[in-house]
Amino acid sequence: MTRSDLPPRASSLMVLGTASHVGKSLLTAAFCRLLAEAGHRVAPFKAQNMALNSFVTLEGGEIGRAQVAQAEASGIAPHVDMNPILLKPMGGVSQVIVEGHPIGVMSAREYYAEKATLWPRVTAAYDRLASRYERVVLEGAGSPVEINLTEHDLTNLKMAHHADAAVILVADIERGGVFAQIIGTWELLEPRDRARVVGFIINKFRGDVTLLDSGLAFVRERTGVPVLGVLPYRPDLQIDQEDSLGIDETATFDDEALGPGDLDVAVARLPGMSNFTDFWPLSRIPGVRVRYVERGVNFGRPDLFVLPGTKTTVRDLDWLRQVGLADRIIASRAEPDGPQILGICGGFQMLGRWIEDPLGIESSQKQVEGLGLLDTVTRFAESKTRQLVSGRVIGMDLPILGYEIHMGETERGDSTLPWFSLIRHRNQAAILDGAIDQAGRVSGTYVHGIFDSAPFAEQFINQLRARRGFAPLATPEWQSHRDFLAGRYAKLAEFLRAHLDLAPIWAALAEPSARSAD
């Protein structure tokens, strides 16, 4: 089949960065929304993602959470083609997920050895998207000019050539040396790669932008490429992120930081923590402070203590004991005014009596003692559960909507009750999920995203408030997390319109063939 025989290709834009965590994911979502508002059918794409923050699509595939947010910004449902390779780090190795399904656990060298077979699957996923949408916005990974990694690149410049993409390069001024970031990256680009760059963006600026004028002029003179704009630092425009670099590092307890009627929510910052965005909706609730703790001495006196999801349950359970958090969690359960304790996914598994691993899925230990706060036993298996779910809290008229991503199954003992009654969307199977102790103080679930549901979050938080003698929050103060994000995507598009010269981007997208000089 020749190129002329293929379906029409989308005009594509690629967001590359001078380093990791400079704002590529956010700006990709913003450009997706901008193009959607301009009337284009647009989709996001990231060839390879390394993240523990993942999501399950309707067809049961697992992809990075950032691509889900970008799909939402585009006004479309997420699909595995938007992120054909997802790497989930596991301490020196990674679980490799291709087209939504795990294919094994590999070291970096083992993974690189597979690139020849993986590259056709990456390009096929992109080509399917490009045949269905008018525009595709691609996100790069890290820096495109890491010399030691260039030959293994599946995500940055190699993908830009396949997609015939116009490129914008983003630099983060908060890191310092922003002009060195831009010029250094430019100097390391090959001439054919420079030809794709239509402009630079400086991100996260605070202060008087005119102080940058001489530097912006130098960049234009040195490269012949304009700085399209300087984006102010706007933490209020954050979206779901792909790794825990984005969480607030507040690991100490301070009574004075809590106002009258405020709730303190402490989350264990596990080394392998995954899906930390489960707790972002809580941080938006009036009167709730969410902090992350790494030591038993930082436990404080929380109203809610959370063990989050993790890709390495056994390793992180050992870590809890080493840093003194396990002892504090167990002791707090015996205190009459101690916190509610919640475990999600891997955190749920830790709360039980035992974790059994007969096949060595996570470690060489066949059986590991849990924290013993729930009468449950978890057994790891080779298969992985990936499902969208919906249902109700048992005994209450509270809707639940979320997703499961976990290895292993958990059995409840006689003294523990199930928490949720759910339907798995892909196969319509009815299940009883989670566990809650007889006193209602300790609970666990496999469902990620439970606090995205405003009715459930409202009831959960008001129960915590009642324990402290606080009045319930008024219903008008609540907004579903999805509605909140929808408004934020619209603000992101306006943010770009207000601060960037978009003309070079529109011109490049209108004439993709002008870049095809490879």
mmCIF file of all heavy atoms in Angstrom, residues 331-376:
data_model
loop_
_atom_site.group_PDB
_atom_site.id
_atom_site.type_symbol
_atom_site.label_atom_id
_atom_site.label_comp_id
_atom_site.label_asym_id
_atom_site.label_seq_id
_atom_site.Cartn_x
_atom_site.Cartn_y
_atom_site.Cartn_z
ATOM 1 N N ALA A 331 -1.792 1.922 65.652
ATOM 2 C CA ALA A 331 -2.085 2.521 66.958
ATOM 3 C C ALA A 331 -3.273 3.470 66.883
ATOM 4 O O ALA A 331 -4.085 3.534 67.814
ATOM 5 C CB ALA A 331 -0.846 3.255 67.477
ATOM 6 N N SER A 332 -3.396 4.187 65.768
ATOM 7 C CA SER A 332 -4.480 5.164 65.659
ATOM 8 C C SER A 332 -5.842 4.482 65.613
ATOM 9 O O SER A 332 -6.851 5.071 66.016
ATOM 10 C CB SER A 332 -4.284 6.038 64.417
ATOM 11 O OG SER A 332 -4.575 5.317 63.219
ATOM 12 N N ARG A 333 -5.876 3.245 65.147
ATOM 13 C CA ARG A 333 -7.152 2.521 65.097
ATOM 14 C C ARG A 333 -7.690 2.255 66.497
ATOM 15 O O ARG A 333 -8.909 2.179 66.706
ATOM 16 C CB ARG A 333 -6.962 1.195 64.338
ATOM 17 C CG ARG A 333 -8.181 0.273 64.334
ATOM 18 C CD ARG A 333 -9.375 0.935 63.665
ATOM 19 N NE ARG A 333 -10.556 0.092 63.727
ATOM 20 C CZ ARG A 333 -11.413 0.063 64.754
ATOM 21 N NH1 ARG A 333 -11.197 0.824 65.820
ATOM 22 N NH2 ARG A 333 -12.487 -0.715 64.713
ATOM 23 N N ALA A 334 -6.809 2.124 67.478
ATOM 24 C CA ALA A 334 -7.227 1.852 68.855
ATOM 25 C C ALA A 334 -7.618 3.119 69.606
ATOM 26 O O ALA A 334 -8.163 3.033 70.714
ATOM 27 C CB ALA A 334 -6.105 1.133 69.603
ATOM 28 N N GLU A 335 -7.357 4.275 69.034
ATOM 29 C CA GLU A 335 -7.691 5.545 69.698
ATOM 30 C C GLU A 335 -9.142 5.904 69.399
ATOM 31 O O GLU A 335 -9.541 5.960 68.227
ATOM 32 C CB GLU A 335 -6.760 6.649 69.207
ATOM 33 C CG GLU A 335 -5.281 6.381 69.491
ATOM 34 C CD GLU A 335 -4.347 7.299 68.707
ATOM 35 O OE1 GLU A 335 -4.862 8.121 67.904
ATOM 36 O OE2 GLU A 335 -3.125 7.177 68.878
ATOM 37 N N PRO A 336 -9.968 6.150 70.417
ATOM 38 C CA PRO A 336 -11.385 6.466 70.178
ATOM 39 C C PRO A 336 -11.595 7.659 69.247
ATOM 40 O O PRO A 336 -12.551 7.673 68.470
ATOM 41 C CB PRO A 336 -11.921 6.752 71.581
ATOM 42 C CG PRO A 336 -10.990 6.032 72.502
ATOM 43 C CD PRO A 336 -9.638 6.095 71.858
ATOM 44 N N ASP A 337 -10.709 8.645 69.325
ATOM 45 C CA ASP A 337 -10.855 9.818 68.462
ATOM 46 C C ASP A 337 -9.872 9.778 67.297
ATOM 47 O O ASP A 337 -9.574 10.800 66.681
ATOM 48 C CB ASP A 337 -10.659 11.104 69.259
ATOM 49 C CG ASP A 337 -9.252 11.208 69.849
ATOM 50 O OD1 ASP A 337 -8.548 10.165 69.889
ATOM 51 O OD2 ASP A 337 -8.862 12.308 70.263
ATOM 52 N N GLY A 338 -9.360 8.573 67.001
ATOM 53 C CA GLY A 338 -8.426 8.435 65.889
ATOM 54 C C GLY A 338 -9.115 8.586 64.544
ATOM 55 O O GLY A 338 -10.342 8.720 64.455
ATOM 56 N N PRO A 339 -8.347 8.549 63.465
ATOM 57 C CA PRO A 339 -8.897 8.843 62.141
ATOM 58 C C PRO A 339 -9.700 7.694 61.544
ATOM 59 O O PRO A 339 -9.576 6.542 61.964
ATOM 60 C CB PRO A 339 -7.640 9.078 61.306
ATOM 61 C CG PRO A 339 -6.620 8.186 61.932
ATOM 62 C CD PRO A 339 -6.901 8.262 63.412
ATOM 63 N N GLN A 340 -10.528 8.042 60.583
ATOM 64 C CA GLN A 340 -11.002 7.037 59.645
ATOM 65 C C GLN A 340 -9.796 6.576 58.827
ATOM 66 O O GLN A 340 -8.902 7.376 58.532
ATOM 67 C CB GLN A 340 -12.046 7.633 58.700
ATOM 68 C CG GLN A 340 -13.345 8.051 59.347
ATOM 69 C CD GLN A 340 -14.259 6.868 59.577
ATOM 70 O OE1 GLN A 340 -14.586 6.554 60.715
ATOM 71 N NE2 GLN A 340 -14.671 6.229 58.519
ATOM 72 N N ILE A 341 -9.762 5.315 58.468
ATOM 73 C CA ILE A 341 -8.649 4.776 57.682
ATOM 74 C C ILE A 341 -9.218 4.189 56.400
ATOM 75 O O ILE A 341 -10.143 3.375 56.434
ATOM 76 C CB ILE A 341 -7.885 3.709 58.480
ATOM 77 C CG1 ILE A 341 -7.300 4.315 59.762
ATOM 78 C CG2 ILE A 341 -6.773 3.099 57.626
ATOM 79 C CD1 ILE A 341 -6.732 3.296 60.720
ATOM 80 N N LEU A 342 -8.671 4.621 55.280
ATOM 81 C CA LEU A 342 -9.168 4.209 53.969
ATOM 82 C C LEU A 342 -8.019 3.663 53.133
ATOM 83 O O LEU A 342 -6.954 4.288 53.046
ATOM 84 C CB LEU A 342 -9.803 5.403 53.243
ATOM 85 C CG LEU A 342 -10.154 5.224 51.762
ATOM 86 C CD1 LEU A 342 -11.239 4.178 51.580
ATOM 87 C CD2 LEU A 342 -10.588 6.556 51.145
ATOM 88 N N GLY A 343 -8.224 2.515 52.526
ATOM 89 C CA GLY A 343 -7.255 1.968 51.583
ATOM 90 C C GLY A 343 -7.876 1.849 50.200
ATOM 91 O O GLY A 343 -9.018 1.410 50.062
ATOM 92 N N ILE A 344 -7.138 2.273 49.186
ATOM 93 C CA ILE A 344 -7.604 2.176 47.799
ATOM 94 C C ILE A 344 -6.634 1.284 47.022
ATOM 95 O O ILE A 344 -5.423 1.509 47.040
ATOM 96 C CB ILE A 344 -7.713 3.565 47.145
ATOM 97 C CG1 ILE A 344 -8.764 4.410 47.872
ATOM 98 C CG2 ILE A 344 -8.058 3.445 45.667
ATOM 99 C CD1 ILE A 344 -8.910 5.817 47.325
ATOM 100 N N CYS A 345 -7.171 0.267 46.375
ATOM 101 C CA CYS A 345 -6.413 -0.656 45.536
ATOM 102 C C CYS A 345 -5.278 -1.301 46.336
ATOM 103 O O CYS A 345 -5.530 -2.062 47.257
ATOM 104 C CB CYS A 345 -5.913 0.068 44.282
ATOM 105 S SG CYS A 345 -5.488 -1.034 42.921
ATOM 106 N N GLY A 346 -4.013 -0.986 46.048
ATOM 107 C CA GLY A 346 -2.921 -1.567 46.800
ATOM 108 C C GLY A 346 -3.004 -1.241 48.280
ATOM 109 O O GLY A 346 -2.649 -2.063 49.133
ATOM 110 N N GLY A 347 -3.486 -0.035 48.609
ATOM 111 C CA GLY A 347 -3.676 0.331 50.006
ATOM 112 C C GLY A 347 -4.721 -0.533 50.686
ATOM 113 O O GLY A 347 -4.608 -0.869 51.874
ATOM 114 N N PHE A 348 -5.761 -0.906 49.949
ATOM 115 C CA PHE A 348 -6.779 -1.827 50.439
ATOM 116 C C PHE A 348 -6.148 -3.183 50.753
ATOM 117 O O PHE A 348 -6.399 -3.793 51.801
ATOM 118 C CB PHE A 348 -7.882 -1.941 49.380
ATOM 119 C CG PHE A 348 -8.921 -3.007 49.605
ATOM 120 C CD1 PHE A 348 -9.341 -3.369 50.879
ATOM 121 C CD2 PHE A 348 -9.506 -3.643 48.515
ATOM 122 C CE1 PHE A 348 -10.305 -4.354 51.061
ATOM 123 C CE2 PHE A 348 -10.475 -4.624 48.691
ATOM 124 C CZ PHE A 348 -10.867 -4.981 49.971
ATOM 125 N N GLN A 349 -5.307 -3.670 49.858
ATOM 126 C CA GLN A 349 -4.641 -4.950 50.074
ATOM 127 C C GLN A 349 -3.782 -4.930 51.341
ATOM 128 O O GLN A 349 -3.746 -5.902 52.104
ATOM 129 C CB GLN A 349 -3.786 -5.297 48.853
ATOM 130 C CG GLN A 349 -4.603 -5.526 47.588
ATOM 131 C CD GLN A 349 -3.735 -5.665 46.347
ATOM 132 O OE1 GLN A 349 -2.574 -5.239 46.337
ATOM 133 N NE2 GLN A 349 -4.293 -6.247 45.283
ATOM 134 N N MET A 350 -3.090 -3.806 51.594
ATOM 135 C CA MET A 350 -2.223 -3.684 52.771
ATOM 136 C C MET A 350 -2.994 -3.760 54.085
ATOM 137 O O MET A 350 -2.461 -4.210 55.098
ATOM 138 C CB MET A 350 -1.466 -2.358 52.726
ATOM 139 C CG MET A 350 -0.466 -2.225 51.629
ATOM 140 S SD MET A 350 0.332 -0.599 51.758
ATOM 141 C CE MET A 350 1.176 -0.520 50.196
ATOM 142 N N LEU A 351 -4.238 -3.304 54.087
ATOM 143 C CA LEU A 351 -5.022 -3.248 55.323
ATOM 144 C C LEU A 351 -5.424 -4.633 55.826
ATOM 145 O O LEU A 351 -5.824 -4.779 56.984
ATOM 146 C CB LEU A 351 -6.276 -2.399 55.117
ATOM 147 C CG LEU A 351 -6.072 -0.893 54.964
ATOM 148 C CD1 LEU A 351 -7.393 -0.209 54.620
ATOM 149 C CD2 LEU A 351 -5.468 -0.295 56.232
ATOM 150 N N GLY A 352 -5.337 -5.660 54.999
ATOM 151 C CA GLY A 352 -5.803 -6.987 55.360
ATOM 152 C C GLY A 352 -4.828 -7.759 56.240
ATOM 153 O O GLY A 352 -3.768 -7.268 56.648
ATOM 154 N N ARG A 353 -5.193 -9.018 56.513
ATOM 155 C CA ARG A 353 -4.376 -9.872 57.377
ATOM 156 C C ARG A 353 -3.166 -10.423 56.633
ATOM 157 O O ARG A 353 -2.072 -10.508 57.187
ATOM 158 C CB ARG A 353 -5.227 -11.011 57.929
ATOM 159 C CG ARG A 353 -6.321 -10.549 58.897
ATOM 160 C CD ARG A 353 -7.039 -11.711 59.565
ATOM 161 N NE ARG A 353 -7.828 -12.486 58.614
ATOM 162 C CZ ARG A 353 -7.555 -13.741 58.257
ATOM 163 N NH1 ARG A 353 -6.494 -14.354 58.750
ATOM 164 N NH2 ARG A 353 -8.329 -14.390 57.400
ATOM 165 N N TRP A 354 -3.383 -10.838 55.383
ATOM 166 C CA TRP A 354 -2.307 -11.458 54.618
ATOM 167 C C TRP A 354 -2.369 -11.044 53.148
ATOM 168 O O TRP A 354 -3.442 -10.752 52.624
ATOM 169 C CB TRP A 354 -2.390 -12.998 54.683
ATOM 170 C CG TRP A 354 -2.219 -13.563 56.046
ATOM 171 C CD1 TRP A 354 -3.207 -13.961 56.902
ATOM 172 C CD2 TRP A 354 -0.988 -13.772 56.743
ATOM 173 N NE1 TRP A 354 -2.679 -14.416 58.070
ATOM 174 C CE2 TRP A 354 -1.305 -14.313 58.007
ATOM 175 C CE3 TRP A 354 0.358 -13.566 56.412
ATOM 176 C CZ2 TRP A 354 -0.344 -14.645 58.940
ATOM 177 C CZ3 TRP A 354 1.331 -13.908 57.346
ATOM 178 C CH2 TRP A 354 0.975 -14.440 58.591
ATOM 179 N N ILE A 355 -1.199 -11.063 52.522
ATOM 180 C CA ILE A 355 -1.089 -10.968 51.070
ATOM 181 C C ILE A 355 -0.339 -12.206 50.607
ATOM 182 O O ILE A 355 0.796 -12.457 51.050
ATOM 183 C CB ILE A 355 -0.345 -9.693 50.623
ATOM 184 C CG1 ILE A 355 -1.124 -8.450 51.055
ATOM 185 C CG2 ILE A 355 -0.132 -9.705 49.110
ATOM 186 C CD1 ILE A 355 -0.378 -7.157 50.814
ATOM 187 N N GLU A 356 -0.961 -12.990 49.759
ATOM 188 C CA GLU A 356 -0.348 -14.223 49.268
ATOM 189 C C GLU A 356 0.103 -14.026 47.823
ATOM 190 O O GLU A 356 -0.620 -13.460 47.001
ATOM 191 C CB GLU A 356 -1.352 -15.377 49.358
ATOM 192 C CG GLU A 356 -1.800 -15.664 50.787
ATOM 193 C CD GLU A 356 -2.848 -16.760 50.859
ATOM 194 O OE1 GLU A 356 -3.306 -17.212 49.782
ATOM 195 O OE2 GLU A 356 -3.215 -17.161 51.985
ATOM 196 N N ASP A 357 1.303 -14.509 47.534
ATOM 197 C CA ASP A 357 1.892 -14.337 46.197
ATOM 198 C C ASP A 357 2.535 -15.653 45.748
ATOM 199 O O ASP A 357 3.748 -15.762 45.615
ATOM 200 C CB ASP A 357 2.925 -13.207 46.235
ATOM 201 C CG ASP A 357 3.376 -12.771 44.848
ATOM 202 O OD1 ASP A 357 2.852 -13.317 43.855
ATOM 203 O OD2 ASP A 357 4.252 -11.889 44.754
ATOM 204 N N PRO A 358 1.712 -16.694 45.526
ATOM 205 C CA PRO A 358 2.267 -18.021 45.220
ATOM 206 C C PRO A 358 3.042 -18.083 43.920
ATOM 207 O O PRO A 358 3.920 -18.940 43.755
ATOM 208 C CB PRO A 358 1.021 -18.913 45.170
ATOM 209 C CG PRO A 358 -0.113 -17.984 44.849
ATOM 210 C CD PRO A 358 0.235 -16.694 45.536
ATOM 211 N N LEU A 359 2.754 -17.185 42.974
ATOM 212 C CA LEU A 359 3.419 -17.216 41.671
ATOM 213 C C LEU A 359 4.596 -16.246 41.585
ATOM 214 O O LEU A 359 5.214 -16.130 40.528
ATOM 215 C CB LEU A 359 2.403 -16.900 40.559
ATOM 216 C CG LEU A 359 1.200 -17.848 40.459
ATOM 217 C CD1 LEU A 359 0.249 -17.394 39.355
ATOM 218 C CD2 LEU A 359 1.669 -19.280 40.199
ATOM 219 N N GLY A 360 4.884 -15.538 42.685
ATOM 220 C CA GLY A 360 5.994 -14.588 42.660
ATOM 221 C C GLY A 360 5.726 -13.393 41.767
ATOM 222 O O GLY A 360 6.636 -12.879 41.113
ATOM 223 N N ILE A 361 4.492 -12.916 41.735
ATOM 224 C CA ILE A 361 4.125 -11.784 40.876
ATOM 225 C C ILE A 361 4.869 -10.516 41.296
ATOM 226 O O ILE A 361 5.360 -9.752 40.475
ATOM 227 C CB ILE A 361 2.602 -11.530 40.926
ATOM 228 C CG1 ILE A 361 1.828 -12.775 40.478
ATOM 229 C CG2 ILE A 361 2.225 -10.325 40.074
ATOM 230 C CD1 ILE A 361 2.109 -13.213 39.072
ATOM 231 N N GLU A 362 4.957 -10.291 42.625
ATOM 232 C CA GLU A 362 5.590 -9.069 43.125
ATOM 233 C C GLU A 362 6.901 -9.316 43.851
ATOM 234 O O GLU A 362 7.747 -8.435 43.919
ATOM 235 C CB GLU A 362 4.640 -8.316 44.060
ATOM 236 C CG GLU A 362 3.656 -7.427 43.364
ATOM 237 C CD GLU A 362 3.199 -6.260 44.234
ATOM 238 O OE1 GLU A 362 3.814 -6.000 45.280
ATOM 239 O OE2 GLU A 362 2.224 -5.622 43.855
ATOM 240 N N SER A 363 7.046 -10.479 44.485
ATOM 241 C CA SER A 363 8.266 -10.719 45.254
ATOM 242 C C SER A 363 8.490 -12.226 45.389
ATOM 243 O O SER A 363 7.674 -13.037 44.944
ATOM 244 C CB SER A 363 8.149 -10.081 46.645
ATOM 245 O OG SER A 363 7.274 -10.835 47.473
ATOM 246 N N SER A 364 9.595 -12.560 46.026
ATOM 247 C CA SER A 364 9.908 -13.970 46.250
ATOM 248 C C SER A 364 9.204 -14.521 47.482
ATOM 249 O O SER A 364 9.244 -15.722 47.740
ATOM 250 C CB SER A 364 11.424 -14.143 46.413
ATOM 251 O OG SER A 364 11.895 -13.366 47.506
ATOM 252 N N GLN A 365 8.549 -13.638 48.256
ATOM 253 C CA GLN A 365 7.838 -14.071 49.452
ATOM 254 C C GLN A 365 6.471 -14.640 49.069
ATOM 255 O O GLN A 365 5.689 -13.977 48.400
ATOM 256 C CB GLN A 365 7.656 -12.895 50.417
ATOM 257 C CG GLN A 365 8.961 -12.335 50.959
ATOM 258 C CD GLN A 365 8.742 -11.076 51.774
ATOM 259 O OE1 GLN A 365 8.772 -9.971 51.255
ATOM 260 N NE2 GLN A 365 8.516 -11.252 53.062
ATOM 261 N N LYS A 366 6.190 -15.839 49.507
ATOM 262 C CA LYS A 366 4.917 -16.472 49.184
ATOM 263 C C LYS A 366 3.762 -15.891 49.993
ATOM 264 O O LYS A 366 2.613 -15.904 49.544
ATOM 265 C CB LYS A 366 4.996 -17.978 49.430
ATOM 266 C CG LYS A 366 6.069 -18.685 48.616
ATOM 267 C CD LYS A 366 5.847 -18.520 47.118
ATOM 268 C CE LYS A 366 6.899 -19.289 46.322
ATOM 269 N NZ LYS A 366 6.752 -19.075 44.857
ATOM 270 N N GLN A 367 4.065 -15.392 51.183
ATOM 271 C CA GLN A 367 3.027 -14.822 52.024
ATOM 272 C C GLN A 367 3.614 -13.675 52.838
ATOM 273 O O GLN A 367 4.706 -13.800 53.394
ATOM 274 C CB GLN A 367 2.439 -15.883 52.957
ATOM 275 C CG GLN A 367 1.199 -15.434 53.713
ATOM 276 C CD GLN A 367 0.630 -16.551 54.562
ATOM 277 O OE1 GLN A 367 1.240 -16.967 55.542
ATOM 278 N NE2 GLN A 367 -0.541 -17.048 54.193
ATOM 279 N N VAL A 368 2.898 -12.559 52.887
ATOM 280 C CA VAL A 368 3.348 -11.371 53.605
ATOM 281 C C VAL A 368 2.240 -10.943 54.556
ATOM 282 O O VAL A 368 1.059 -10.891 54.167
ATOM 283 C CB VAL A 368 3.681 -10.212 52.632
ATOM 284 C CG1 VAL A 368 4.066 -8.960 53.402
ATOM 285 C CG2 VAL A 368 4.801 -10.629 51.691
ATOM 286 N N GLU A 369 2.620 -10.633 55.777
ATOM 287 C CA GLU A 369 1.642 -10.181 56.757
ATOM 288 C C GLU A 369 1.220 -8.749 56.470
ATOM 289 O O GLU A 369 2.059 -7.869 56.242
ATOM 290 C CB GLU A 369 2.215 -10.278 58.165
ATOM 291 C CG GLU A 369 1.208 -9.966 59.261
ATOM 292 C CD GLU A 369 1.788 -10.144 60.658
ATOM 293 O OE1 GLU A 369 2.984 -10.476 60.759
ATOM 294 O OE2 GLU A 369 1.039 -9.950 61.641
ATOM 295 N N GLY A 370 -0.097 -8.488 56.449
ATOM 296 C CA GLY A 370 -0.611 -7.146 56.251
ATOM 297 C C GLY A 370 -0.704 -6.395 57.566
ATOM 298 O O GLY A 370 -0.190 -6.830 58.603
ATOM 299 N N LEU A 371 -1.396 -5.262 57.551
ATOM 300 C CA LEU A 371 -1.540 -4.444 58.759
ATOM 301 C C LEU A 371 -2.580 -5.017 59.713
ATOM 302 O O LEU A 371 -2.650 -4.606 60.874
ATOM 303 C CB LEU A 371 -1.908 -3.009 58.371
ATOM 304 C CG LEU A 371 -0.869 -2.262 57.518
ATOM 305 C CD1 LEU A 371 -1.382 -0.867 57.170
ATOM 306 C CD2 LEU A 371 0.470 -2.179 58.223
ATOM 307 N N GLY A 372 -3.421 -5.911 59.222
ATOM 308 C CA GLY A 372 -4.375 -6.582 60.095
ATOM 309 C C GLY A 372 -5.541 -5.730 60.554
ATOM 310 O O GLY A 372 -6.191 -6.055 61.556
ATOM 311 N N LEU A 373 -5.866 -4.684 59.837
ATOM 312 C CA LEU A 373 -6.977 -3.805 60.236
ATOM 313 C C LEU A 373 -8.289 -4.187 59.565
ATOM 314 O O LEU A 373 -9.340 -3.680 59.949
ATOM 315 C CB LEU A 373 -6.624 -2.348 59.929
ATOM 316 C CG LEU A 373 -5.412 -1.794 60.694
ATOM 317 C CD1 LEU A 373 -5.180 -0.336 60.333
ATOM 318 C CD2 LEU A 373 -5.591 -1.945 62.197
ATOM 319 N N LEU A 374 -8.233 -5.033 58.555
ATOM 320 C CA LEU A 374 -9.428 -5.585 57.932
ATOM 321 C C LEU A 374 -9.295 -7.100 57.885
ATOM 322 O O LEU A 374 -8.190 -7.634 57.670
ATOM 323 C CB LEU A 374 -9.617 -5.048 56.506
ATOM 324 C CG LEU A 374 -10.104 -3.613 56.348
ATOM 325 C CD1 LEU A 374 -10.087 -3.210 54.867
ATOM 326 C CD2 LEU A 374 -11.502 -3.416 56.928
ATOM 327 N N ASP A 375 -10.410 -7.781 58.051
ATOM 328 C CA ASP A 375 -10.419 -9.248 57.995
ATOM 329 C C ASP A 375 -10.502 -9.674 56.536
ATOM 330 O O ASP A 375 -11.539 -10.136 56.049
ATOM 331 C CB ASP A 375 -11.611 -9.774 58.797
ATOM 332 C CG ASP A 375 -11.646 -11.296 58.841
ATOM 333 O OD1 ASP A 375 -10.626 -11.927 58.493
ATOM 334 O OD2 ASP A 375 -12.708 -11.843 59.200
ATOM 335 N N THR A 376 -9.394 -9.517 55.835
ATOM 336 C CA THR A 376 -9.326 -9.855 54.409
ATOM 337 C C THR A 376 -8.000 -10.540 54.104
ATOM 338 O O THR A 376 -7.005 -10.359 54.813
ATOM 339 C CB THR A 376 -9.438 -8.600 53.514
ATOM 340 O OG1 THR A 376 -8.380 -7.683 53.842
ATOM 341 C CG2 THR A 376 -10.776 -7.909 53.693
#
